[in-house]
Amino acid sequence: SFNSLNHDMTLPEFKFIWYMEYSHRMWGRAVGLAYILPAAYFWRRGWLSRPLKGRVLALCGLVCFQGLLGWYMVKSGLEEKPDSYDIPRVSQYRLAAHLGSALVLYSASLWTGLSLLLPQHKLPETKQLLRLRQYAHGTTALIFLTALSGAFVAGLDAGLVYNSFPKMGERWIPDDLLAFSPVLRNIFENPTTVQFDHRILGIASVTAVTALYFFSRKIPLPQRTRMAVTSLLAVACMQ
């Protein structure tokens, strides 16, 4: 990396990025211990029900898998690529997998914790409520996809290609949007297309969250659910 990219890096600058990476690894290991050690203790004390044991095993397995993905991602940035003239960087595919796994782990942990702390609301299964639930699941999938597309932006440094909004340069649709062949390759490897997709997905996510909020206002919901939908809209606008 020093020979290919950061020729003028000083020792203090190197120490800064080294300690960032080291802290990230140590924090990840601490998270693993925070999962596995209490889980083993609760299991041994007999405090876990049979369904909860399955969740705990899945979460602990996902923690280990997340660490393995992190190693696999970093490894891609250290491999020699004699046929490539690009700067050293980790694989955008592995970066997206690492981020996606982290989001799944966080969401599953939060869902499990809230399920134990808060009693489930028993609401009548009306058509409106069923539609709201389906729409909420669809919005979740869209937000997840938007976050993954952000990993491709980061992995390809695609944020540096265009820095104007809402247009990209002087055009709404850039000329080099489909410059790579085959066409499908543009979605994952063309920095212009990756940034364009991330913009579209981001706008779609905010739109979907806003529509979800207004649709929820038409349905009688518990205070906790209404607070969650309102918080989602606030965070989407802030993001």
Side-chain angles (χ1 to χ4, degrees):
S1 178
F2 181 82
N3 293 330
S4 306
L5 178 62
N6 299 305
H7 305 287
D8 57 345
M9 179 176 283
T10 63
L11 185 59
E13 289 172 337
F14 173 77
K15 285 182 176 180
F16 176 75
I17 63 170
W18 188 90
Y19 277 116
M20 283 184 65
E21 174 67 18
Y22 180 76
S23 301
H24 180 69
R25 292 186 181 203
M26 291 302 106
W27 186 256
R29 289 167 186 169
V31 168
L33 291 176
Y35 267 88
I36 295 169
L37 293 181
Y41 177 76
F42 297 153
W43 193 301
R44 186 173 179 82
R45 299 283 293 184
W47 293 349
L48 303 178
S49 63
R50 188 178 180 85
L52 195 54
K53 284 181 178 180
R55 284 197 188 189
V56 166
L57 283 177
L59 287 171
C60 289
L62 195 54
V63 167
C64 297
F65 178 69
Q66 172 69 4
L68 183 65
L69 267 180
W71 166 81
Y72 187 58
M73 178 193 72
V74 171
K75 183 175 179 289
S76 68
L78 301 175
E79 293 170 349
E80 292 287 342
K81 303 179 181 70
D83 58 336
S84 174
Y85 298 97
D86 200 2
I87 62 173
R89 57 160 62 94
V90 298
S91 163
Q92 68 271 26
Y93 298 101
R94 300 185 193 184
L95 177 60
H98 190 50
L99 175 64
S101 176
L103 289 173
V104 170
L105 175 61
Y106 177 80
S107 301
S109 303
L110 184 63
W111 187 277
T112 301
L114 291 177
S115 299
L116 294 171
L117 290 171
L118 302 173
Q120 186 175 1
H121 287 303
K122 297 188 183 298
L123 302 174
E125 290 291 331
T126 63
K127 284 186 178 180
Q128 279 189 317
L129 187 63
L130 182 61
R131 190 181 301 171
L132 179 68
R133 187 180 292 120
Q134 291 172 340
Y135 193 78
H137 289 163
T139 303
T140 302
L142 181 60
I143 293 170
F144 182 75
L145 186 62
T146 304
L148 287 190
S149 74
F152 281 89
V153 172
L156 290 171
D157 288 333
L160 303 177
V161 181
Y162 291 97
N163 57 10
S164 57
F165 186 86
K167 289 185 177 181
M168 298 179 73
E170 298 298 321
R171 301 176 63 89
W172 289 101
I173 301 177
D175 292 330
D176 53 342
L177 193 67
L178 300 175
F180 290 13
S181 182
V183 174
L184 188 62
R185 187 172 157 229
N186 289 278
I187 298 175
F188 305 105
E189 299 182 13
N190 184 341
T192 297
T193 313
V194 166
Q195 189 192 132
F196 180 80
D197 291 344
H198 188 59
R199 290 179 179 218
I200 298 301
L201 287 168
I203 294 168
S205 293
V206 174
T207 304
V209 169
T210 305
L212 178 69
Y213 170 78
F214 284 112
F215 181 50
S216 71
R217 301 293 295 179
K218 300 177 181 179
I219 305 173
L221 294 172
Q223 183 64 29
R224 195 172 75 205
T225 308
R226 196 163 297 288
M227 186 190 305
V229 177
T230 306
S231 300
L232 178 64
L233 178 63
V235 172
C237 292
M238 185 168 61
Q239 173 72 359

